[in-house]
Amino acid sequence: MLRYILYKNNNKKSVGYGKWYARAVVGDTVNVKALAKRISDRCTVTEPDIVAVISALVTAMNEELIAGRRVLLDGFGSFRATIKTKPAEKPEDFGNGNIVGSKILFYPTVTVGANHKRSTNMLAGLKVGKMETYVDPSNAAEA
């Protein structure tokens, strides 16, 4: 279950100023080895083979993304590289120095139901609930 905590919007410039919202709380991190173990429990492929395939997938995705291609993982979503730039006064003034960053965008696979409602495949069956006790990880050492 995905847990959430409540927080008050204290941004005076926001139309939602003073109102309460929920924020998802991220729990533990699951690494490749743990995912490989879960996958191997569901099929006949061994955990080391799964780790090898995931490692090869990461390398292949890197090669495709830096070549400027979108990477689509059917049923999961697509990835593409994008850049952040600072402006130039004229097109001829724009150069590599205007490129200040890059990142990867992820677009999850979405299904549109009969009710015309869009849902993300990876979150099918998601349930949410309020976290009763929350310890801020940045303050955990103090507790």
Side-chain angles (χ1 to χ4, degrees):
M1 178 179 295
L2 180 64
R3 299 289 182 182
Y4 65 87
I5 59 172
L6 296 177
Y7 74 96
K8 189 175 184 179
N9 180 343
N10 292 319
N11 181 351
K12 293 181 180 179
K13 295 180 180 179
S14 170
V15 295
Y17 173 71
K19 296 188 177 167
W20 289 85
Y21 295 87
R23 179 175 290 139
V25 176
V26 177
D28 294 332
T29 299
V30 179
N31 63 20
V32 169
K33 185 168 175 49
L35 284 174
K37 172 74 173 109
R38 289 191 71 162
I39 294 168
S40 71
D41 289 344
R42 294 173 169 240
C43 65
T44 59
V45 181
T46 66
E47 185 180 322
D49 288 339
I50 295 166
V51 170
V53 169
I54 292 172
S55 176
L57 173 66
V58 169
T59 300
M61 285 180 65
N62 172 256
E63 293 168 352
E64 297 300 327
L65 290 167
I66 65 174
R69 289 186 274 276
R70 180 185 309 264
V71 176
L72 173 65
L73 300 179
D74 297 331
F76 182 68
S78 65
F79 300 81
R80 73 176 178 92
T82 186
I83 56 175
K84 181 178 180 180
T85 64
K86 59 183 179 182
E89 293 296 323
K90 300 178 282 196
E92 56 269 16
D93 294 340
F94 193 93
N96 283 345
N98 294 83
I99 299 171
V100 295
S102 62
K103 63 181 177 180
I104 296 173
L105 297 180
F106 171 66
Y107 300 93
T109 298
V110 173
T111 303
V112 180
N115 60 358
H116 304 289
K117 185 175 180 184
R118 297 167 53 92
S119 63
T120 304
N121 293 1
M122 293 299 294
L123 297 178
L126 174 70
K127 292 179 175 53
V128 297
K130 184 176 180 185
M131 180 169 269
E132 298 303 324
T133 305
Y134 175 71
V135 176
D136 185 342
S138 62
N139 297 331
E142 298 171 8

